[in-house]
Amino acid sequence: MRKKLATIVALLLTGALLLSACASGGGGNNAQNGGGAGQGNGNASQDGGNAGQTGGSAPSEPAASGSAVSGVIPASDLSKLPDIAKQRTDTIIVALTDPSGAFTPYFHQSGYDGNVSSLLYTPLVTVDDTGIPVPALAESWEVSSDNLTYTFHLREGLKFSDGTPLTAEDVAFTWTLLHDKAYDGDSLVPTLGIKGGQAYKEGKATSIEGIQILDPLTISVTLEKPNATALTTLGAEVLSKAYYGKDYVFGQLDYIKKLHEQPVGTGPYKLEKFIPGQEVRFIANEYFYKGKPKTERFIYKTSEGDTWQFIETGEIDFASFSATEENIERLKSLGFVNILPYTASNYGFLQVNHQREALKDKRVRQAIAYGLDRQSIYVDAVQGAGAVANIPSSPISWAYTEEGINPYPHDPEKAKALLDEAGWVPGEDGIREKDGQKLVIHYLGSKRKETDIFIAVAQENFAEIGIRFEPEVFADFNALISKVEGGDYDLASFSTPLLTDPSDGLTQFLEIDGYDNPKVKELYDKGLATNDIEERKAIYKELFQLLNDELPLIFTSYRKTVYAYNGRIQNLSVSPFNGIAPSLPDWSLE
């Protein structure tokens, strides 16, 4: 789990914002919510518009049941729009937690870097609002009858943001680079088993046998075994061979770090300037394959502050809030924002440090799940703007199930019985002990309202079952990540990035230090070995039941969100899987 942790866990607790830029519903700084326009594949973030009056659209999936709002609420009085927002004629501003500056796909240091790069790069293949693959840079593709060979046909006339042509050579370079022995990023391309990929990685070959350039616009790739996610995994972003490959030497990738802040991409925007701690400035890319975006400039505002203040004063045009009745009524009262409900395709969880002896015991992890009043923390405290999660899948996923799933209701007595069974007995001070050690939970969270709620409830819950709770709160997300990477914690709150395929929410279970159940890997591989959706559903149900029982992570919540945005913005929509990125080139200010 430690591998590239920053990109695996970047959306703490609030969840939905990797794809859409945002801010905390509690009015705190948006550093806790991970904003952005990214697709979410391979990015993560801390756990966590529309509908303009003309031409906007909502996601195909409605807000989760019980949401305080179920349809788009248009701005009621645009005359109330603050002057600072009225004066912007060619610029849209969205809040985002401060990225690190590593804006090259496959090399991000956090999910927030991915949010930036999602505007700078376009994938070969994307997905629509139902999760079905659709063309992007690749206009079409074929898959062989044995599901091993994928042939991509690029659009004619594609160009990178520096005006140079994009060809099959660039695609081949990208896939090859990801097999370099020095690559330690989070791309899943190396895990697909491309024929000859391992030989290249080991330095036994100078090229990858399974990658074949058929002509400048056509490339094929052959796998050693079927993988149901291969199309979208291979169909990710393309790096310019002329730019990113100019200084490439096998086994030496540090040079790419020097290129992060001057990216050459294929997205709707080009990076104009990155001012750490303040903003990321973009300018429209005239070479974008769909045509130059309608709005010339886009800014991610990265300075910390009160998101409510930013939206109320017009300093930003788009923000995310927890879907509470209180927040919705407050947003309605502004008059100048459209309000759009949204349910993301991700889930929140408490990361468990399996290097801690006590937490290696499944009974202790189960006791924590029973002991925490998750209903109060994630549902009641946010006025119903959330739901309790018990499996590594979003309710909007086709693989989601509750069959055979333990809901772990708040049950202190059950928690105590499990701890007794595990050998942890109350000491004189009420804190449980075993082999001379106290049962202590060192928790890491982000500085925001939701964390305050968690700590207040958990403090009481853990005391009741005999666990000493020691919370540590971080105002800086990168500092939190460093603490987790250092291993000095027991539990930490995170959320997955947006999940397109059910397997996306399962990859982290293959990398948890100290947890190794061969059955997990067996079922994971089995779920990828077929393209039959009914077969995959059955496999994932079995895997969800296993993980729900063993709790290598403790599942927490699904977030219900509303987006509020400047009523002048037209053509804005939010995809359940891709966020604001697909519609962003069409955004305009009326």
Side-chain angles (χ1 to χ4, degrees):
M1 187 73 178
R2 298 271 295 281
K3 179 185 178 185
K4 295 300 291 182
L5 179 65
T7 56
I8 294 172
V9 289
L11 269 162
L12 202 99
L13 240 66
T14 54
L17 303 173
L18 179 62
L19 46 105
S20 65
C22 307
S24 168
N29 81 59
N30 58 18
Q32 322 321 322
N33 301 292
Q39 285 183 298
N41 297 333
N43 300 324
S45 160
Q46 288 187 54
D47 176 52
N50 176 85
Q53 294 152 312
T54 66
S57 62
S60 61
E61 293 289 345
S65 60
S67 176
V69 60
S70 58
V72 175
I73 302 174
S76 59
D77 187 356
L78 280 177
S79 68
K80 293 183 178 180
L81 187 68
D83 288 340
I84 189 174
K86 289 179 181 178
Q87 293 167 5
R88 288 196 289 272
T89 59
D90 68 346
T91 304
I92 292 175
I93 302 176
V94 170
L96 174 71
T97 294
D98 200 11
S100 76
F103 300 148
T104 307
Y106 312 112
F107 294 88
H108 303 144
Q109 296 301 307
S110 75
Y112 310 116
D113 292 336
N115 297 331
V116 172
S117 76
S118 71
L119 302 189
L120 304 174
Y121 298 84
T122 299
L124 291 169
V125 179
T126 185
V127 295
D128 64 15
D129 287 355
T130 65
I132 301 300
V134 294
L137 296 183
E139 65 179 2
S140 64
W141 54 81
E142 295 99 39
V143 183
S144 61
S145 59
D146 59 5
N147 292 320
L148 293 179
T149 299
Y150 292 74
T151 302
F152 295 86
H153 302 277
L154 304 179
R155 297 178 187 275
E156 292 187 4
L158 292 174
K159 292 183 178 180
F160 287 102
S161 56
D162 61 357
T164 59
L166 186 158
T167 71
E169 288 279 356
D170 300 293
V171 180
F173 165 73
T174 303
W175 292 338
T176 300
L177 186 75
L178 299 177
H179 284 81
D180 191 284
K181 67 178 182 180
Y183 179 70
D184 64 351
D186 66 333
S187 170
L188 295 179
V189 169
T191 70
L192 291 176
I194 295 176
K195 189 175 182 181
Q198 188 62 29
Y200 180 81
K201 183 173 184 177
E202 295 173 355
K204 297 177 180 178
T206 57
S207 62
I208 298 177
E209 179 185 354
I211 299 174
Q212 297 294 321
I213 297 174
L214 305 181
D215 62 51
L217 297 181
T218 311
I219 186 169
S220 72
V221 58
T222 300
L223 310 181
E224 295 176 342
K225 62 180 180 180
N227 187 306
T229 68
L231 180 59
T232 51
T233 300
L234 291 166
E237 298 86 353
V238 179
L239 301 180
S240 165
K241 181 178 181 180
Y243 185 68
Y244 291 100
K246 179 167 62 72
D247 298 319
Y248 174 53
V249 176
F250 178 74
Q252 300 177 29
L253 296 181
D254 283 348
Y255 76 94
I256 286 184
K257 296 177 183 178
K258 300 175 183 177
L259 306 178
H260 287 336
E261 292 188 17
Q262 294 182 312
V264 171
T266 53
Y269 285 89
K270 298 185 290 188
L271 182 66
E272 183 176 31
K273 191 171 185 179
F274 171 45
I275 307 174
Q278 295 184 43
E279 61 187 28
V280 186
R281 299 176 187 170
F282 303 85
I283 189 166
N285 177 13
E286 65 271 33
Y287 300 114
F288 183 52
Y289 83 103
K290 286 186 175 181
K292 188 177 180 180
K294 293 181 179 179
T295 301
E296 182 70 17
R297 298 179 184 278
F298 183 88
I299 294 174
Y300 270 138
K301 180 180 177 63
T302 62
S303 56
E304 292 186 5
D306 187 323
T307 302
W308 275 108
Q309 177 183 328
F310 288 156
I311 199 75
E312 289 171 340
T313 61
E315 291 179 70
I316 62 175
D317 296 301
F318 183 104
S320 170
F321 298 88
S322 182
T324 64
E325 291 285 359
E326 179 183 351
N327 283 346
I328 291 166
E329 290 306 311
R330 184 174 174 182
L331 289 169
K332 284 181 182 178
S333 71
L334 296 180
F336 58 83
V337 296
N338 295 321
I339 303 169
L340 175 67
Y342 180 81
T343 298
S345 60
N346 64 347
Y347 63 88
F349 61 91
L350 291 175
Q351 183 168 309
V352 176
N353 186 351
H354 287 258
Q355 301 302 316
R356 302 295 206 200
E357 196 61 37
L359 297 176
K360 291 180 180 180
D361 192 326
K362 177 179 74 172
R363 294 168 296 186
V364 175
R365 302 193 298 271
Q366 290 178 333
I368 290 172
Y370 279 117
L372 275 174
D373 188 351
R374 294 178 299 153
Q375 176 71 24
S376 292
I377 296 170
Y378 301 109
V379 182
D380 299 342
V382 293
Q383 302 173 32
V388 172
N390 289 298
I391 62 171
S393 174
S394 164
I396 70 173
S397 169
W398 53 260
Y400 181 80
T401 184
E402 295 181 5
E403 185 178 343
I405 299 300
N406 183 350
Y408 290 99
H410 183 222
D411 189 341
E413 295 308 311
K414 178 67 172 178
K416 291 176 185 178
L418 283 165
L419 292 174
D420 288 341
E421 184 182 325
W424 291 92
V425 298
E428 293 182 359
D429 59 356
I431 302 301
R432 291 177 179 269
E433 302 174 349
K434 182 179 180 181
D435 300 329
Q437 298 294 316
K438 295 283 189 180
L439 185 52
V440 179
I441 293 296
H442 180 196
Y443 165 81
L444 308 183
S446 293
K447 183 176 176 58
R448 59 199 180 87
K449 181 179 178 181
E450 289 87 346
T451 300
D452 292 341
I453 294 170
F454 177 88
I455 290 174
V457 177
Q459 193 88 53
E460 182 178 327
N461 289 166
F462 283 138
E464 183 177 4
I465 63 175
I467 296 177
R468 178 181 295 157
F469 183 57
E470 298 179 348
E472 185 174 2
V473 178
F474 294 80
D476 179 71
F477 177 66
N478 292 324
L480 184 153
I481 288 293
S482 294
K483 187 83 170 184
V484 172
E485 289 180 329
D488 185 13
Y489 77 103
D490 293 293
L491 300 177
S493 291
F494 290 111
S495 166
T496 68
L498 299 183
L499 309 172
T500 301
D501 187 84
S503 63
D504 295 341
L506 296 167
T507 56
Q508 62 179 321
F509 295 96
L510 308 178
E511 301 179 326
I512 299 176
D513 288 346
Y515 174 76
D516 182 20
N517 183 336
K519 188 66 174 178
V520 173
K521 180 66 162 59
E522 176 189 332
L523 290 171
Y524 176 81
D525 290 342
K526 189 176 179 182
L528 293 177
T530 176
N531 288 328
D532 185 292
I533 197 167
E534 293 304 319
E535 287 183 28
R536 298 188 76 203
K537 279 183 181 180
I539 294 165
Y540 290 131
K541 181 172 72 171
E542 182 179 354
L543 185 47
F544 292 159
Q545 291 171 345
L546 185 158
L547 294 171
N548 168 260
D549 176 63
E550 296 204 337
L551 295 182
L553 305 175
I554 296 172
F555 307 106
T556 56
S557 64
Y558 307 115
R559 299 288 295 179
K560 300 177 186 178
T561 302
V562 289
Y563 293 125
Y565 63 95
N566 184 335
R568 292 177 60 202
I569 299 177
Q570 303 300 302
N571 308 314
L572 185 155
S573 63
V574 182
S575 161
F577 302 101
N578 295 323
I580 63 176
S583 70
L584 191 58
D586 295 322
W587 290 14
S588 63
L589 291 167
E590 89 174 350

